[in-house]
Amino acid sequence: MTGDLWERLRPALDGGRADQVAALLKSVDETERLTAAKPLEAYVRTLSEYGWERQSAIVRAIGVAAVGCLPSAARAGALLCRRDVRWHWDDLSIPLMIELAGVREIDWLGVLALRMAAKLDARGWGNDWRPVADLVLAGGAAPPTDAPFVRGWLLARPVARHNTRHHTRLVPLADRLRDDPFLDPLLPAVFELDGIGDVLGSRGWSQGTGSWDTALVYPTALASLAAEGRLDRKVLLDGCVSRFLRGDRPGPLRAFVALHDALEPTLDEVVERRLDYVRLLSEGPAPLALLALKALKPVDDAGHLELATLLDASAAVLRREEKGLVRKQLVWLDRLVRRHPDRSGEVLTTIATACGHPALDVQERALTALARHRARLDPASLGGALEELDASLHARAADLLGVTVAAPEPAPFWIPAGITPPAPMPPPIGTAAELAEEIVVLATATSSTAVAWERILAALVSLRATEPAALTEALGPVLANHQETLTYGATGLIGEFGEAVRSAAGTRRRGPAWQRAITAVRLMVNGGQPDLPEFKVRPSPRRVLALRLAEIAVQLDRTPVPFLLATPTAANGQLDAALLVDRLARAEEAGWQPWRLDLEQAMLRVSPEVDPLVAKRAAALRSPAGRWVAEWFAAGGLGTPDPVRTEQRLISDYYRASPDPGRRVVIGLQPPGPARGIIEEMLCGIRFTDGVRHTQYHGADVWWPAVLPYHREVIAAWALPNLAAMADSDSRDAGGILPVLAECGGPVGPAMTLALTYTLAAKQEVDRVAGVDALLTLATDPLFDAAAVGRELGGLAADSAIKIGRVVPGLTDAFRAGAGAAVWEIVAAAVPYLLSAAKPPPGTPDLLAVGTQTAAALGRRTPIEAVAGVAARTGSSRLVTEARRLHQTLTA
């Protein structure tokens, strides 16, 4: 009986004939349907053997079969949630699945839908949401309110169409939402889930103009439904305000700001929530603070905002870095002095808070506001506020207010020379159980460090030699529970890593990366270059780790060694030369030879300046590895590649065409001579083109410097495309490599200079912070040329390749942290380029202001010709004003 039904089902499944599968299963009774359950589950496990298009057709039929013959939601869910099936959910024949559920009279369709909903991709495009949503409705289940389901719902709405006989047109979103069964249960979650505003901020297509609308479709539609009474205004407005208070990234918040504006809150609605708006004014990000300021002004004008509450919030606002917001707040406070003459002292004291603002023009505005109400002002009531004024404004304060401002004790705006030694490596992993935990963390993490990689690789090799049984027992559950991750992973690296873990565990089951690893190691052993495109890794430091993982996977399985030579002694990848010689001596004494790439990596981690006594000990070694290391030491290690400066202009890419979006400067590398090893050959030659530019496929990982910890210029050159993209494109999260590079050894040449320049000018604040950290470290290095950074900064900003305004906050922070001398050199070198541009780029006055503060603190008195020329101009523009201020400081 089992064979009879399955023999008829199998051809229908192979052909993707879902209707035939449904007909077969409807034609038999429940007992016979259940006999096909196990063969179906076994069949699905072979799905990966078919091509993509064939899989899509088969999955269409598999969905019908799963509902038609499996006995429970658990087994149906396990089958439909398999990786190979999940990729094709949008091909499922949902009507037939629902029809068969009715024929069988099963009550678990809703449970199945929820199991599938739990596997929705939170980062997908919503293609797989519709079939799951249909099953949720058909099964009568309460829809999930987690991010993947809500995101899928929002993505699915704008693409719905209404088909007529003659044409297809977009139905207005408000019409589609009005009767949407998911609107009421899912709408509250829209305001509660972080990041969901990215989807809420989609734009609609206008058939009238044949282009994308400027208005965001969801805010407009939701406000329209609220206006007609379909949605409660209070729910929407409270949702927006609660989202504002909870916070999020600027992009997702933009849609909620648009919804708030579309609702046009009344005075009474704002009064009811006034304390929330006050909190946003003082604590919210700049767009939300401006929104709150705009909402609160009418409340204050109507007398519904307590002055004490407003002054407390204003004091916080005046300390913020956003100058536009601070200026608006000063204007508001200036009006309050006239409206509340009996409490003018409190208001003026609050205005004086801005005297400590980091921007000189804001300090000057506050000083002018105080002088405007000098008759009502008691300078003694300002306390030490005036003492926070920059030294360049002391004379002006005396003229306007008739007070003498005491100069504070000078701060040490310098960092003593000397390089802090890198942190040592933490203790090695000591047990198989600890290694298993670390493997799970690394395999499932979104990023990794050199310390994490090196400790795990060392433990895989050493524990396999000393505790093979314990290692097999500990790694078995890891491989079983994380089979998919350690087979495919997010990148090619994790696939290679999985093969190394399997070798350490002693398992014979292999993944798709195993054959690649064998081929690569065979080439390395035979002295060839393992140039394998199937590694899915561009030539870069990342490929070095990919090949090391392949070497460990293959050699640990075939010619194991008791330990790795390349395990570093410092967290940044540096390896003590004496320890390397000790390891080689132990290997020589025990009679085993190190693996090829492990030996190369170890040599590249040793300082080029080896102690003569250590070099003498190396020369006494007699093994092939020992002789190679001795020769390496005698030759001074890796030679320094010659930099090749290349200026690129993006001509076009897949998404846009632009005649001249600005230039990008990158640094290629010319090998110093014939390569002596695989890693040297891979990394010491880079050739960039002059035209189309691109970033590395996988980005610049923070562990890259550990590959060449004494040659940071080489690693910086490889990372430059990624770092440049942070400043001239929308790339992000690559800046973390720079502080690590700053702690490494070697010259600070053009690649490191440009790397720091681009990172200081990055679009995202987190990357700019990394640039400041690197600057503070490099400022202690005698090899660092800060003026070179200034020249690159000025030249690129003058060409609009980067935005100087992004750099100013970071330089200000570095100045306050003690790197004043380096900051001054950067500013002094950049300013001539900026002022010589046909139109100085936005942010130039702010950079001049930083120069004024730094020059005053350091006592610099050397005029800059370009600054003097602008200072001599007539007019009172901010550029001229700041140039005059800097020139006066330099000539005082």
Side-chain angles (χ1 to χ4, degrees):
M1 186 71 73
T2 301
D4 181 53
L5 176 60
W6 179 247
E7 287 175 5
R8 287 183 289 158
L9 274 178
R10 175 66 186 263
L13 290 169
D14 285 342
R17 295 188 291 274
D19 53 347
Q20 187 174 338
V21 170
L24 281 170
L25 291 172
K26 284 189 289 185
S27 68
V28 298
D29 60 22
E30 184 67 9
T31 301
E32 191 168 359
R33 291 187 194 107
L34 294 175
T35 62
K38 287 186 178 180
L40 175 65
E41 291 168 328
Y43 174 79
V44 171
R45 287 194 287 272
T46 68
L47 192 60
S48 60
E49 299 174 5
Y50 299 98
W52 183 267
E53 293 185 3
R54 181 82 179 278
Q55 284 180 359
S56 296
I58 293 174
V59 166
R60 187 178 305 115
I62 281 175
V64 178
V67 175
C69 66
L70 292 176
S72 66
R75 288 177 67 177
L79 185 147
L80 291 175
C81 290
R82 286 181 60 87
R83 180 190 183 104
D84 294 333
V85 177
R86 198 167 67 238
W87 283 340
H88 302 280
W89 276 356
D90 54 338
D91 294 310
L92 290 173
S93 182
I94 300 300
L96 289 176
M97 293 170 67
I98 295 172
E99 181 182 346
L100 267 177
V103 170
R104 294 184 64 193
E105 298 181 350
I106 60 176
D107 59 0
W108 45 258
L109 192 61
V111 178
L112 170 62
L114 295 181
R115 286 177 177 270
M116 294 174 66
K119 292 293 186 178
L120 287 171
D121 186 358
R123 299 164 298 177
W125 291 99
N127 297 349
D128 53 357
W129 176 85
R130 170 51 65 190
V132 175
D134 289 343
L135 290 177
V136 168
L137 292 175
T145 56
D146 58 356
F149 196 84
V150 175
R151 187 175 185 273
W153 171 62
L154 293 172
L155 283 170
R157 296 302 89 192
V159 299
R161 286 175 168 80
H162 172 68
N163 295 310
T164 68
R165 184 174 180 178
H166 302 290
H167 64 279
T168 299
R169 66 180 179 85
L170 284 172
V171 179
L173 180 58
D175 293 342
R176 281 177 270 140
L177 287 176
R178 188 176 292 106
D179 300 319
D180 191 316
F182 292 111
L183 177 62
D184 294 315
L186 298 189
L187 185 59
V190 169
F191 299 100
E192 297 167 2
L193 296 170
D194 293 342
I196 207 70
D198 276 341
V199 186
L200 199 67
S202 59
R203 301 182 186 275
W205 180 263
S206 172
Q207 291 180 313
T209 63
S211 61
W212 293 103
D213 290 331
T214 56
L216 303 183
V217 291
Y218 269 107
T220 303
L222 293 175
S224 174
L225 293 176
E228 68 184 48
R230 171 63 179 84
L231 294 176
D232 188 344
R233 274 181 64 85
K234 186 176 188 302
V235 171
L236 295 178
L237 194 55
D238 284 343
C240 286
V241 174
S242 67
R243 180 72 264 174
F244 296 156
L245 293 174
R246 194 177 292 114
D248 208 336
R249 292 180 289 109
L253 283 176
R254 194 173 297 120
F256 295 102
V257 172
L259 175 56
H260 179 277
D261 292 343
L263 290 171
E264 297 181 347
T266 64
L267 178 63
D268 289 341
E269 288 173 329
V270 177
V271 169
E272 182 182 351
R273 300 165 179 82
R274 64 187 181 280
L275 294 182
D276 291 332
Y277 285 101
V278 168
R279 181 179 166 191
L280 288 174
L281 177 63
S282 57
E283 301 175 10
L288 298 184
L290 288 169
L291 178 149
L293 186 147
K294 180 181 177 181
L296 286 171
K297 274 188 176 181
V299 175
D300 179 45
D301 292 340
H304 296 301
L305 188 60
E306 296 80 1
L307 181 62
T309 300
L310 176 56
L311 293 181
D312 286 343
S314 298
V317 172
L318 296 180
R319 296 187 186 96
R320 297 178 56 136
E321 294 184 357
E322 300 91 352
K323 294 193 298 181
L325 176 63
V326 174
R327 285 196 291 265
K328 290 179 182 296
Q329 197 67 32
L330 284 173
V331 172
W332 191 356
L333 290 170
D334 191 53
R335 291 169 50 199
L336 289 178
V337 176
R338 299 183 180 88
R339 285 177 47 200
H340 299 277
D342 56 325
R343 301 181 67 178
S344 60
E346 297 174 62
V347 181
L348 291 170
T349 300
T350 303
I351 291 175
T353 304
C355 292
H357 195 276
L360 295 183
D361 58 322
V362 171
Q363 292 187 18
E364 190 167 24
R365 281 177 178 268
L367 195 57
T368 302
L370 292 174
R372 190 178 297 118
H373 305 285
R374 181 174 179 178
R376 295 191 177 98
L377 178 65
D378 178 10
S381 67
L382 301 181
L386 294 180
E387 295 178 3
E388 296 186 61
L389 286 169
D390 188 77
S392 62
L393 292 174
H394 287 181
R396 183 165 175 77
D399 291 340
L400 293 177
L401 303 179
V403 296
T404 301
V405 181
E409 290 294 324
F413 291 101
W414 52 274
I415 297 177
I419 302 174
T420 303
M425 279 285 287
I429 295 172
T431 65
E434 182 186 357
L435 174 60
E437 293 178 1
E438 295 292 339
I439 287 172
V440 173
V441 171
L442 180 61
T444 56
T446 55
S447 62
S448 54
T449 64
V451 169
W453 276 112
E454 295 299 336
R455 292 181 76 235
I456 289 176
L457 298 188
L460 285 174
V461 174
S462 63
L463 292 177
R464 185 62 187 167
T466 58
E467 303 178 24
L471 194 60
T472 299
E473 182 180 358
L475 296 185
V478 172
L479 290 169
N481 296 333
H482 301 275
Q483 177 183 353
E484 185 173 304
T485 299
L486 289 170
T487 300
Y488 302 100
T491 68
L493 274 184
I494 298 301
E496 315 303 329
F497 178 52
E499 297 308 320
V501 175
R502 290 183 183 89
S503 290
T507 179
R508 308 311 301 174
R509 184 173 181 178
R510 293 296 180 176
W514 176 242
Q515 196 57 48
R516 298 199 302 265
I518 292 175
T519 305
V521 173
R522 183 182 296 120
L523 284 170
M524 286 190 286
V525 170
N526 294 330
Q529 177 70 20
D531 185 18
L532 301 176
E534 57 267 31
F535 261 119
K536 300 179 182 178
V537 180
R538 294 180 187 272
S540 71
R542 191 180 185 90
R543 175 170 280 188
V544 175
L545 180 56
L547 291 173
R548 286 187 67 204
L549 289 168
E551 182 178 64
I552 291 172
V554 174
Q555 301 289 51
L556 198 58
D557 186 67
R558 298 181 176 181
T559 56
V561 296
F563 57 83
L564 291 177
L565 295 180
T567 303
T569 50
N572 67 351
Q574 294 174 355
L575 174 59
D576 182 70
L579 182 59
L580 173 58
V581 174
D582 289 342
R583 291 173 179 173
L584 286 166
R586 288 167 55 193
E588 191 170 302
E589 183 179 352
W592 56 270
Q593 277 295 308
W595 299 333
R596 168 67 182 269
L597 214 64
D598 179 40
L599 177 59
E600 282 192 34
Q601 178 64 94
M603 292 191 298
L604 290 167
R605 284 177 167 167
V606 173
S607 171
E609 300 175 1
V610 178
D611 184 282
L613 294 178
V614 175
K616 184 176 181 181
R617 286 178 52 210
L621 297 172
R622 291 294 173 261
S623 65
R627 290 197 299 272
W628 191 11
V629 169
E631 293 170 1
W632 182 268
F633 287 172
L638 179 67
T640 302
D642 296 324
V644 180
R645 186 181 180 91
T646 305
E647 296 196 1
Q648 300 177 319
R649 291 189 183 273
L650 182 60
I651 300 170
S652 64
D653 62 16
Y654 293 112
Y655 304 103
R656 65 179 180 180
S658 175
D660 187 9
R663 64 190 176 99
R664 175 189 289 181
V665 181
V666 290
I667 302 297
L669 296 175
Q670 182 69 33
R676 291 164 291 174
I678 296 170
I679 300 178
E680 182 178 355
E681 185 173 351
M682 276 195 296
L683 298 187
C684 289
I686 309 177
R687 184 176 181 180
F688 290 114
T689 61
D690 296 333
V692 178
R693 63 197 188 209
H694 59 79
T695 58
Q696 295 290 342
Y697 180 72
H698 287 298
D701 297 290
V702 294
W703 50 261
W704 280 16
V707 177
L708 294 175
Y710 286 99
H711 298 274
R712 53 188 166 193
E713 271 291 289
V714 175
I715 303 299
W718 280 105
L720 263 181
N722 299 94
L723 300 179
M726 297 189 308
D728 61 27
S729 303
D730 293 328
S731 181
R732 59 184 300 157
D733 299 331
I737 191 176
L738 198 60
V740 185
L741 276 174
E743 294 178 351
C744 290
V748 182
M752 278 294 293
T753 297
L754 281 165
L756 179 58
T757 300
Y758 286 126
T759 308
L760 288 172
K763 182 177 181 180
Q764 302 298 327
E765 183 178 5
V766 64
D767 294 312
R768 296 196 298 270
V769 169
V772 174
D773 290 343
L775 174 58
L776 294 175
T777 300
L778 290 170
T780 69
D781 194 326
L783 299 176
F784 176 54
D785 183 1
V789 176
R791 290 190 290 270
E792 296 288 7
L793 187 68
L796 290 169
D799 283 352
S800 301
I802 62 174
K803 296 181 179 180
I804 197 68
R806 295 176 182 170
V807 180
V808 170
L811 292 181
T812 303
D813 290 342
F815 163 66
R816 293 173 182 166
V823 171
W824 169 249
E825 290 183 38
I826 291 172
V827 173
V831 162
Y833 290 89
L834 300 173
L835 296 182
S836 62
K839 183 179 180 181
T844 301
D846 296 319
L847 188 69
L848 291 170
V850 173
T852 300
Q853 292 176 298
T854 312
L858 295 172
R860 294 292 190 264
R861 294 296 181 266
T862 303
I864 299 174
E865 183 178 351
V867 175
V870 176
R873 297 177 188 171
T874 59
S876 58
S877 68
R878 177 130 190 276
L879 179 69
V880 173
T881 300
E882 294 297 347
R884 286 174 186 159
R885 201 194 315 272
L886 176 56
H887 184 64
Q888 290 169 0
T889 300
L890 294 175
T891 56

